[in-house]
Every structure is written in structure tokens, then in C-alpha cells.
Amino acid sequence: MAKVAFIGLGVMGYPMAGHLKAKGGHDVTVYNRTAAKADAWVKQHGGTSAPTPAEAAKGAEFVFTCVGNDDDLRSVTIGENGVLAGMAEGAILIDNTTASAEVARELYEAAAAKGCGFIDAPVSGGQAGAENGVLTVMCGGDEATFEKARPVIDAYARMVGLMGPAGAGQLTKMINQICIAGLVQGLAEGVHFGKRAGLDIEKVVEVISKGAAGSWQMENRHKTMNQDKYDFGFAVDWMRKDLDIVLTEARRNGAKLPVTALVDQFYGDVQAMGGNRWDTSSLLARLERK
Ligand SMILES: NC(=O)c1ccc[n+]([C@@H]2O[C@H](COP(=O)([O-])OP(=O)(O)OC[C@H]3O[C@@H](n4cnc5c(N)ncnc54)[C@H](OP(=O)(O)O)[C@@H]3O)[C@@H](O)[C@H]2O)c1
């Protein structure tokens, strides 16, 4: 059992912190900007809440963050009252936010300057993965730090991998998003075509999902896409944030991502339709509702 702090009790962080307490058996202190969520978490899980990230991190061996973007992350880590102001030497900061590789390297250095470890640890598996404690966690950092953090991360994960030095977890998450972007557009076009052709989409997917076209998105999203339902899941706003990180990194490393760039614009169309919080499978709505 370890002393753990968790900063950011959103859709993902709330259940992840819950698993650290219930499944991991750790002593958890939480912080959330909107205090009502921290109060609700403590009421549901026990543990304690703190008024600032720095206070939450005091005395913790492991400090987790799961906030929105690079700037949010900087604010709760190196900002005034950020976790690094409260962390003791030897403590480890594990960041589950989907952010840039650049901010991961920056935080690695900032943590090292305080004698602390840092692991960038973005996740995949969505809200359901977080609630069921079966996330895939892509880590970057030093091996010795990773080995200490891994058994704690295990409380909310099914797959945890060290991909390389600081930033490598975020780079791996970028690949994850590149693979998803083109695939979801392909799936949307397939469903759209099937409807136009007058076929039973459920029947089509039952058959083709067992062949070479099968995917997580096909299995888990075809039903709701067929029903034109998008008010759940991984929000288009988040996907655009992720694709912006991806396209910025691609400009830096020279990778050619024509389809990813195009799908990013398609998500811009979905936002213009009012779909900011819709699930990413709403690329189909762009084809059908316009
Ligand atoms: N949702 C998914 O399916 C999914 C899947 C994989 C990865 N992710 C990534 O995981 C991260 C969190 O996603 P989420 O869905 O949990 O988001 P969310 O529900 O919007 O929660 C964001 C959390 O961060 C806090 N926060 C944001 N900005 C902050 C700031 N400047 N200072 C302090 N706290 C701040 C929010 O506090 P308040 O409560 O006060 O707003 C909230 O607790 C994102 O980077 C996202 O891309 C999400």
C-alpha cells in the first residue's frame, strides 16, 4: 500500500483514482479544481481531499495527474501550488493526460531538478476502460522509475508498457490516435454506403467484423452509428486537441499524415454542426445530416 495523490477527477480521473483506492488498496488524497467533484469522490470512496495540488502531493510517494491539455498540465504541476511544490525527493509524478511529448520532457526535467521521477503515461480505452480498470497505458521515462510505478498503475490498467525515454508514451498515444482517425472515417463511409445500398448494417457488421475489416471501432460503435447516436464516448473536442498535438509533432519530425490532416478537418465540420461533445464516431453524422 502506497501513499498516492490524484489530481483531476474528470470522466477518466474519477474512476482511475477510485481503482487506486479500491483495487490497489492505496491511501489516496484527491484534488479537483471544482471542489464538489472531490467531495463526491471522498464520499464514495473514502480517502481525503486537499485544497491545492501541492497540498495533495505532500507526503505522497506517487502523484497522478489527469487533466485536459498541456497548459492545464503545466498549471497543476509547475504552476503556483502545483504538485511539484509539494512533492518530496524520491516521489514519482505519473501523468495520464494526453499531452505533447514536449511538455512530458519539460516535466521530466522539472521533476528531476527536485530529485523526483516522472513518467508520461497517457491512456487508451475510453470512459468504459477507466470505469472497468482495463486501460492501456503507454509510458515514457526511466526504467527504474517505471518499475516502481508500474505496480501502482496496474490498479487501473490491463496493459502497461514502457515505450522509451520521457515523451515516448505521448508519442505512442499519437500513433494510437493516427490509427483511429483514418479508421473511423473508413467505418463511417462503410456504414453510410451500406445504408444507401439498402443493406441491414447489423447483419453486414456481424459478417465483416469477423474478417479483415474488423476493428474495436466497428465492434463497439457500429450499433450507435446506425442509430445516429453520439451523445456519449470520446468527445470530438478532445480528438481535435489530440490531432493538433499529432500534426504539430509531424511537422517537427517530417512524417506525412495526409489522411489524419483531412480527418482533423472533418472533425472541424462536426464541431461546426454543434458536435463538440459528440463521440468521435460522429464522422457519420457529417456524411448523413448535412
Ligand atoms: N474521455 C476519454 O475517453 C479519454 C480517453 C483517453 C484519454 N483521455 C484524455 O484524458 C484527459 C482527461 O480527459 P477526461 O475525459 O477525464 O476530461 P474531463 O472529464 O473534461 O476532465 C478534465 C479534468 O481536468 C481538470 N482540469 C482541467 N483543466 C484544469 C486546470 N487548468 N486546472 C486544474 N484542473 C483542471 C478538470 O477539473 P474540473 O472538474 O474543475 O473541470 C477535470 O477534473 C484528457 O487529456 C483526454 O484527452 C480521455
Side-chain angles (χ1 to χ4, degrees):
M1 182 177 131
K3 208 168 166 346
V4 168
F6 204 107
I7 315 301
L9 302 173
V11 166
M12 302 297 282
Y14 192 104
M16 288 161 79
H19 288 301
L20 286 166
K21 179 90 176 60
K23 218 154 108 191
H26 302 299
D27 175 3
V28 182
T29 301
V30 294
Y31 164 82
N32 196 67
R33 180 178 57 184
T34 308
K37 274 192 215 166
D39 295 343
W41 190 94
V42 170
K43 211 170 162 194
Q44 184 179 345
H45 296 283
T48 43
S49 71
T52 65
E55 289 285 330
K58 262 185 197 149
E61 300 158 75
F62 299 93
V63 177
F64 289 82
T65 46
C66 188
V67 291
N69 59 26
D70 281 21
D71 288 342
D72 301 326
L73 180 58
R74 284 194 184 94
S75 140
V76 300
T77 52
I78 53 178
E80 201 186 340
N81 293 318
V83 290
L84 279 173
M87 284 170 68
E89 205 178 316
I92 296 174
L93 173 57
I94 299 149
D95 175 44
N96 297 124
T97 310
T98 301
S100 67
E102 197 181 344
V103 76
R105 292 181 200 115
E106 194 180 312
L107 292 181
Y108 174 89
E109 295 298 336
K114 290 215 62 182
C116 297
F118 175 78
I119 301 283
D120 48 300
V123 301
S124 174
Q127 183 173 357
E131 285 169 359
N132 297 320
V134 293
L135 291 168
T136 294
V137 190
M138 300 154 260
C139 299
D142 298 337
E143 201 161 340
T145 309
F146 173 74
E147 288 308 330
K148 283 186 207 156
R150 185 191 194 132
V152 188
I153 295 173
D154 271 344
Y156 58 75
R158 179 162 59 194
M159 169 63 84
V160 188
L162 179 64
M163 314 312 297
Q170 295 296 354
L171 291 170
T172 305
K173 172 75 182 181
M174 291 176 212
I175 299 168
N176 189 77
Q177 301 308 71
I178 292 166
C179 294
I180 288 176
L183 189 148
V184 175
Q185 176 63 18
L187 178 60
E189 290 183 17
V191 174
H192 177 59
F193 179 94
K195 284 180 160 188
R196 287 292 167 109
L199 294 181
D200 178 341
I201 298 299
E202 297 271 339
K203 223 182 213 170
V204 169
V205 168
E206 196 186 318
V207 172
I208 69 167
S209 64
K210 306 299 177 293
S215 67
W216 184 97
Q217 298 288 341
M218 184 181 279
E219 291 277 359
N220 292 282
R221 293 292 184 261
H222 78 274
K223 261 200 185 91
T224 38
M225 288 169 87
N226 195 28
Q227 294 161 353
D228 198 32
K229 264 196 198 155
Y230 305 110
D231 56 342
F232 68 99
F234 184 58
V236 166
D237 277 354
W238 281 141
M239 188 58 163
R240 284 218 88 195
K241 183 244 327 174
D242 292 2
L243 293 180
D244 180 49
I245 292 170
V246 165
L247 295 170
T248 303
E249 188 65 37
R251 276 193 287 278
R252 193 172 298 135
N253 71 17
K256 298 182 188 83
L257 305 177
V259 173
T260 308
L262 188 61
V263 174
D264 178 53
Q265 293 186 23
F266 292 168
Y267 280 124
D269 295 344
V270 176
Q271 288 174 317
M273 292 167 68
N276 300 62
R277 298 298 298 181
W278 293 351
D279 181 66
T280 42
S281 55
S282 55
L283 284 174
L284 178 61
R286 182 184 160 275
L287 299 175
E288 304 224 311
R289 290 193 196 173
K290 261 184 151 184

